């Protein structure tokens, strides 16, 4: 039977992020992708100043009731950018619509570079923490990991020991696998740390000296799609990093609001089919 993944995050109409990334990328991996928008924005919030925002929290309960009447079940749940009041409704949807053995993949989208994203209050990390607890796979960047643990985030200079401590604390939230992004022990390389609670494995790529919006969404989407296609967590995480790098390299210098992930999809589908 074909697997179905439900992704819950926002629709930013313009800006190459969130659902407008997740739907095509996960679909390209050969996984049926169902969407539940958490909000609709005219653009994403990074670098745009006149964006509209509509919270779709009130739609979640009737959508859940509709799905229950249709007896719909999902093999995986991937959550991204969600609103503060949506944590309990999302947990209820996961509980009531999960197929046997369903996976929960949480990208705790809320912060980067030491700061919360616009629109999130200081108490939001503790609300997001509730969504993260018990996840099968958690994909925070270093800033998000620190906020989830009530720590002051560092902008750089994490040692391998400190990374290990961060990951160990995240596992204490009953999180089975941690995929920590933005890890670097030398200036020329940037990568990930993947932990199953027993061992930590690292994967690095040459650092690309460019700030790009939406790369976290591309990363999490490739990871989710590859995981459901049978890749191990480490192999899915490494593939996701490679595809993000390919997307950045394919993006013109004046294309500031996102990455041209569309140009990396042929490479993604080739590697998915070949199991690379």
């Amino acid at each position: 039977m074909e697997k179905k993944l439900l992704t819950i995050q926002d629709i930013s109409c313009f800006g190459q992020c969130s659902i407008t990334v997740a739907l095509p990328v996960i679909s390209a991996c050969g996984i049926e992708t169902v969407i539940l928008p958490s909000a609709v924005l005219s653009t994403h919030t990074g670098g745009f100043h006149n964006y509209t925002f509509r919270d779709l929290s009130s739609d979640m309960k009737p959508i859940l009731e509709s799905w229950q009447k249709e007896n719909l079940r999902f093999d995986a749940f991937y959550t991204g950018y969600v609103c503060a009041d949506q944590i309990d409704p999302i947990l209820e949807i996961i509980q009531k619509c999960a197929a046997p053995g369903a996976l929960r993949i949480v990208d705790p989208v809320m912060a980067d570079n030491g700061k919360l994203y616009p629109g999130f209050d200081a108490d939001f990390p503790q609300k997001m923490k509730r969504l993260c607890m018990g996840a099968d796979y958690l994909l925070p960047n270093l800033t998000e990991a620190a906020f989830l643990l009530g720590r002051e985030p560092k902008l750089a200079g994490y040692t391998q020991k400190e990374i290990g401590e961060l990951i160990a604390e995240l596992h204490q939230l009953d999180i089975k696998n941690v995929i920590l992004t933005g890890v670097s022990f030398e200036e020329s390389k940037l990568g990930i740390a993947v932990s199953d609670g027993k061992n930590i494995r690292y994967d690095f790529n040459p650092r690309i000296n460019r700030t790009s919006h939406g790369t976290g969404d591309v990363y999490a989407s490739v990871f989710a799609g590859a995981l459901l296609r049978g890749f191990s967590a480490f192999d899915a995480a490494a593939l996701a990093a490679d595809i993000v790098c390919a997307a950045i390299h394919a993006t013109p210098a004046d294309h500031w609001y996102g990455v041209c992930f569309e140009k990396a999809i042929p490479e993604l589908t080739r590697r998915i089919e070949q199991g690379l």
Side-chain angles (χ1 to χ4, degrees):
M1 183 178 294
E2 296 296 321
K3 293 182 178 178
K4 296 180 178 64
L5 176 146
L6 170 63
T7 185
I8 305 173
Q9 51 188 310
D10 73 286
I11 295 176
S12 288
C13 299
F14 185 90
Q16 293 171 303
C17 69
S18 304
I19 282 178
T20 61
V21 167
L23 181 56
V25 168
I26 301 171
S27 298
C29 292
I31 302 300
E32 182 177 343
T33 310
V34 181
I35 65 168
L36 177 55
S38 58
V40 176
L41 293 81
S42 56
T43 67
H44 62 64
T45 61
F48 294 103
H49 303 290
N50 301 301
Y51 55 85
T52 65
F53 179 91
R54 182 177 294 276
D55 185 328
L56 299 181
S57 298
S58 61
D59 292 315
M60 288 189 167
K61 184 176 178 60
I63 287 173
L64 171 59
E65 291 172 350
S66 171
W67 285 347
Q68 286 186 286
K69 291 174 183 177
E70 300 292 345
N71 197 32
L72 296 182
R73 296 290 182 269
F74 305 106
D75 303 289
F77 300 87
Y78 154 39
T79 60
Y81 182 106
V82 300
C83 304
D85 294 334
Q86 295 174 346
I87 304 301
D88 286 333
I90 289 171
L91 290 172
E92 183 180 9
I93 288 167
I94 292 172
Q95 177 190 9
K96 293 183 176 179
C97 293
L103 299 176
R104 181 145 62 100
I105 304 163
V106 178
D107 181 5
V109 177
M110 59 179 171
D112 203 359
N113 297 316
K115 297 179 181 179
L116 288 170
Y117 291 143
F120 289 135
D121 295 331
D123 64 345
F124 183 75
Q126 291 307 303
K127 296 178 180 179
M128 175 61 77
K129 184 177 179 179
R130 295 183 53 242
L131 183 60
C132 297
M133 294 175 67
D136 294 289
Y137 300 91
L138 182 70
L139 286 73
N141 60 38
L142 287 169
T143 296
E144 290 161 344
F147 277 134
L148 285 172
L149 298 172
R151 294 186 175 198
E152 186 69 24
K154 290 172 58 175
L155 294 181
Y158 281 94
T159 65
Q160 191 165 340
K161 180 175 181 293
E162 289 173 324
I163 292 297
E165 291 171 349
L166 269 180
I167 289 173
E169 285 192 52
L170 289 170
H171 280 298
Q172 291 176 11
L173 301 178
D174 191 29
I175 294 164
K176 297 178 180 64
N177 298 272
V178 174
I179 296 87
L180 184 62
T181 63
V183 177
S184 180
F185 302 129
E186 52 185 297
E187 184 61 29
S188 62
K189 295 182 179 180
L190 186 66
I192 54 174
V194 181
S195 172
D196 61 2
K198 299 177 182 178
N199 300 294
I200 300 176
R201 298 177 65 187
Y202 295 92
D203 179 76
F204 294 96
N205 280 289
R207 183 186 291 271
I208 303 171
N209 291 318
R210 174 175 179 174
T211 298
S212 302
H213 296 288
T215 51
D217 298 327
V218 176
Y219 185 88
S221 299
V222 173
F223 175 85
L227 191 72
L228 264 66
R229 284 297 300 269
F231 281 58
S232 69
F234 181 80
D235 288 343
L239 172 62
D242 290 347
I243 297 302
V244 167
C245 290
I248 294 172
H249 285 303
T251 303
D254 60 353
H255 188 101
W256 61 268
Y257 54 83
V259 290
C260 297
F261 70 91
E262 301 91 345
K263 296 179 180 179
I265 284 180
E267 174 70 4
L268 170 61
T269 55
R270 180 186 70 82
R271 292 185 60 176
I272 286 286
E273 291 304 322
Q274 295 179 1
L276 300 175

